[in-house]
Amino acid sequence: MLWIHIGMPKTGTTALQSWLHAHADFLAARGLRYVVAGRDRGTGRARLICHNAMAVAMSRGWRGTPEAQAEALAEECRAHEGGHAIVSSEMFFGRDLTPLQERFLSRIKAPVRIVVYLRRFDDFIEADYKQRAKNGLPTGGAAAFVADRLAKIAADPDYMNLETAFARIRAQVPGAEIIPHLYLREEMAGHDITTDFLSLFGVPPEEVPRPERAANRTLSRVTSEALGLFDDKAGYDKKARRRLGRVLQTCGDTRLYGSGDVLTPEERAEVNAAFETRNAGLRAAFFPERERLFPPADPGAARPRGHAGELAEFQHAVRMILRLARG
């Protein structure tokens, strides 16, 4: 069996991939193989935590990708056909998978299952905005960013329509079974993306080694925006900015953290109402016991977007980043 984990983005994919990359022996003892081909940069050894390089190469028409890689992946899957082989890249979500089918999957006789985690869309928009802000990408600010997404919802009936996305995947990867899971920690096996994913293979959550360090806390919107100022123009490359971000997430300063602070309650309600309506058929097909895919959103941050103390919080975040950068 070949399992392809495709995200969605912003559903704990990096945490899952990092765990799979670091626990090859644990997986092997349970008949699981996190496929090395596509993560090895031609070395034959796992160098990367995920198969994003394959997704990028696919988008570029496989330019520069050796033909031997396709056969190596097929051979690795054949060698583990009595168990389960796993490929993972959130960058496969939303892309045309036809080239993947033609170059790689057509060589594999094992059944294919595609796992996708679904996230409530207001949370997805918030996570997407914060990631872009942290990376110093142009967003126009939170209000403009959200307004653009609302306009896209109104103009494009296929936007956020997962039924359309699933139909596309079925057409591009004939015979594949799609397995959607809801990204709701309180409902996940073991309340974690890693334990929930491994439960698909019958691995009990209590058997899964957990990281000693607690999960990083979510940076607030203004902290994310402040971190984005430390870009190439300010003398910070991507690696330096990521290091700063990790330190910020673990420094313990509560003023730097927060969630529910990108959309207003009214915007969240509008996004989620459209999401539920557009995916009613998917809910009925895959989650018939649920009245709606996701529970209603929480009211949001205690200090919403545009509150009176926002400038002071932004200035505090900048000062903290400068202090950490110098230390």
Side-chain angles (χ1 to χ4, degrees), residues 45-245:
R45 295 181 297 172
R47 299 281 300 277
L48 307 173
I49 69 167
C50 65
H51 295 87
N52 285 356
M54 284 179 60
V56 172
M58 182 177 72
S59 298
R60 296 174 178 173
W62 304 114
R63 188 170 62 254
T65 304
E67 180 66 24
Q69 186 187 78
E71 185 53 37
L73 190 146
E75 177 57 34
E76 196 170 347
C77 290
R78 284 193 291 268
H80 294 84
E81 61 185 0
H84 301 282
I86 301 166
V87 169
S88 177
S89 173
E90 66 274 23
M91 294 178 70
F92 285 141
F93 188 86
R95 277 177 162 80
D96 180 3
L97 298 179
T98 304
L100 184 70
Q101 169 66 25
E102 293 175 346
R103 186 179 180 93
F104 287 92
L105 303 184
S106 61
R107 303 172 187 240
I108 299 170
K109 298 187 182 301
V112 175
R113 289 182 174 173
I114 296 177
V115 181
V116 54
Y117 280 83
L118 312 178
R119 187 168 188 172
R120 202 179 62 205
F121 220 72
D122 65 317
D123 287 341
F124 174 79
I125 290 174
E126 174 169 320
D128 189 29
Y129 174 78
K130 287 183 177 180
Q131 188 66 46
R132 291 169 185 263
K134 286 189 291 187
N135 289 339
L137 298 175
T139 62
F145 185 85
V146 174
D148 177 74
R149 295 302 182 270
L150 290 172
K152 190 170 183 178
I153 290 170
D156 183 358
D158 281 338
Y159 184 54
M160 305 190 311
N161 190 329
L162 296 170
E163 284 188 272
T164 300
F166 284 15
R168 173 183 53 78
I169 292 170
R170 290 192 188 97
Q172 294 166 358
V173 188
E177 179 185 358
I178 300 176
I179 302 177
H181 272 216
L182 300 180
Y183 189 69
L184 291 169
R185 290 187 182 276
E186 63 273 18
E187 297 184 21
M188 288 179 175
H191 309 297
D192 180 80
I193 180 70
T194 302
T195 49
D196 191 74
F197 181 76
L198 291 173
S199 73
L200 292 169
F201 309 98
V203 180
E206 60 272 18
E207 290 186 6
V208 179
R210 303 294 185 96
E212 295 182 4
R213 183 169 55 85
N216 292 332
R217 298 184 66 175
T218 300
L219 297 180
S220 70
R221 175 177 54 81
V222 294
T223 304
S224 300
E225 292 166 344
L227 182 58
L229 296 177
F230 292 75
D231 58 10
D232 294 338
K233 295 178 182 178
Y236 294 84
D237 60 17
K238 290 181 180 179
K239 289 185 178 180
R241 190 164 58 249
R242 286 172 183 165
R243 284 195 296 270
L244 281 174

